[in-house]
Amino acid sequence: MLTPEDYLNGQVILIDKPLKWSSFQAVNKLKYALINKLKLPKKFKIGHAGTLDPLATGLLIVCTGKFTKSISEIQGQAKEYTGTFHVGATTPSYDLETEIDQTFATEHITEELIHETVKQFIGEIDQKPPVFSAIKKDGKRLYEHARAGEEVEIASRKTTIHEFEITRIALPEIDFRVVCSKGTYIRSLAYDFGLALHSGGHLTALRRTKIGAYDVQNAMDVTLFEDSIVPNAPSN
């Protein structure tokens, strides 16, 4: 059983983030559970090592106390994701946050073409972040420009795909497993993969399964974590 001092000194907490929760919401839930149950000071250090979109589930690493100094190091480690691409259609956000804006032919897409196309994405690649992302340009986040209907030029950046495996093909759905470097946008990979298939694509499901040696199999649901905290016994 962890004490208030344990959390103040530093802990790494593995959370399995639920669908539709922001990473900020998940950290806040933990923060106030610890404050209310263990009477930790309101300004104690807590933060996460790598954002997950609300439409993604899976591993969210939360650090407290002195371990918050390890956040940058953890963020820099390779990440593993599983999920589903939907081919034959695109959305402005490259996922289900926005409605389909274009549809494309899929009759020419074969299993052989899919597996051949994967090879184009192994190693270092150029990738443009989605316009619906939190990257800042001209003092505003890209999604703010997008929602205001403003067109912005987005520069591509280098990222590395260490492993890219197709785990199920049931067109228009393609399931995958990817191991990639920091800064990789799986939504952009979905869009670019659809383009490389001479069609379109967007992301319909995403789950982060690993960050470095940390595995979602060892993670806990936010609510279960909250329930597991044993409140401080009242002092005599």
Side-chain angles (χ1 to χ4, degrees):
M1 186 175 67
L2 296 174
T3 67
E5 288 70 28
D6 290 328
Y7 286 105
L8 291 173
N9 287 333
Q11 293 294 318
V12 174
I13 306 165
L14 306 186
I15 293 297
D16 189 345
K17 188 191 79 65
L19 187 67
K20 296 188 178 177
W21 282 50
S22 70
S23 299
F24 179 77
Q25 280 177 298
V27 172
N28 253 13
K29 184 79 168 171
L30 265 63
K31 178 180 179 180
Y32 287 103
L34 290 167
I35 288 170
N36 293 331
K37 287 195 172 186
L38 296 183
K39 308 306 178 191
L40 294 183
K42 289 187 178 179
K43 292 189 177 179
F44 87 97
K45 291 182 178 178
I46 186 168
H48 65 75
T51 302
L52 264 183
D53 289 339
L55 293 179
T57 66
L59 184 59
L60 184 70
I61 299 179
V62 179
C63 298
T64 73
K66 295 172 185 174
F67 282 19
T68 54
K69 293 178 181 177
S70 305
I71 283 176
S72 294
E73 180 188 340
I74 295 170
Q75 283 178 328
Q77 297 180 35
K79 297 171 178 66
E80 180 186 80
Y81 296 90
T82 60
T84 304
F85 299 148
H86 181 110
V87 294
T90 56
T91 71
S93 60
Y94 301 171
D95 66 3
L96 295 176
E97 184 183 341
T98 53
E99 298 292 324
I100 288 171
D101 60 354
Q102 280 186 283
T103 56
F104 302 84
T106 59
E107 293 80 6
H108 64 285
I109 299 176
T110 61
E111 290 198 11
E112 183 183 12
L113 176 62
I114 290 167
H115 288 294
E116 278 299 310
T117 303
V118 163
K119 297 174 185 177
Q120 298 177 30
F121 292 89
I122 302 289
E124 187 177 76
I125 61 170
D126 287 312
Q127 186 183 76
K128 281 190 177 183
V131 69
F132 281 79
S133 65
I135 294 170
K136 281 191 174 181
K137 184 175 177 68
D138 302 328
K140 283 167 64 175
R141 299 199 182 276
L142 288 182
Y143 64 76
E144 293 176 321
H145 288 287
R147 286 168 185 162
E150 300 163 359
E151 288 193 16
V152 290
E153 186 62 35
I154 305 171
S156 62
R157 49 176 66 185
K158 299 286 184 186
T159 189
T160 303
I161 306 294
H162 303 292
E163 298 176 38
F164 189 179
E165 176 189 4
I166 301 300
T167 55
R168 180 183 72 105
I169 299 171
L171 293 177
E173 293 185 345
I174 301 173
D175 288 357
F176 64 89
R177 184 186 68 87
V178 165
V179 179
C180 56
S181 64
K182 175 188 176 183
T184 303
Y185 281 90
I186 308 298
R187 285 182 287 150
S188 292
L189 183 63
Y191 178 85
D192 293 340
F193 193 71
L195 204 60
L197 289 172
H198 305 292
S199 183
H202 63 282
L203 187 67
T204 56
L206 184 65
R207 181 164 175 77
R208 185 158 66 194
T209 47
K210 292 180 183 176
I211 300 176
Y214 297 104
D215 194 311
V216 74
Q217 290 185 358
N218 302 316
M220 188 181 286
D221 179 87
V222 178
T223 306
L224 289 179
F225 175 81
E226 185 179 19
D227 292 342
S228 74
I229 303 169
V230 178
N232 262 358
S235 54
N236 294 327

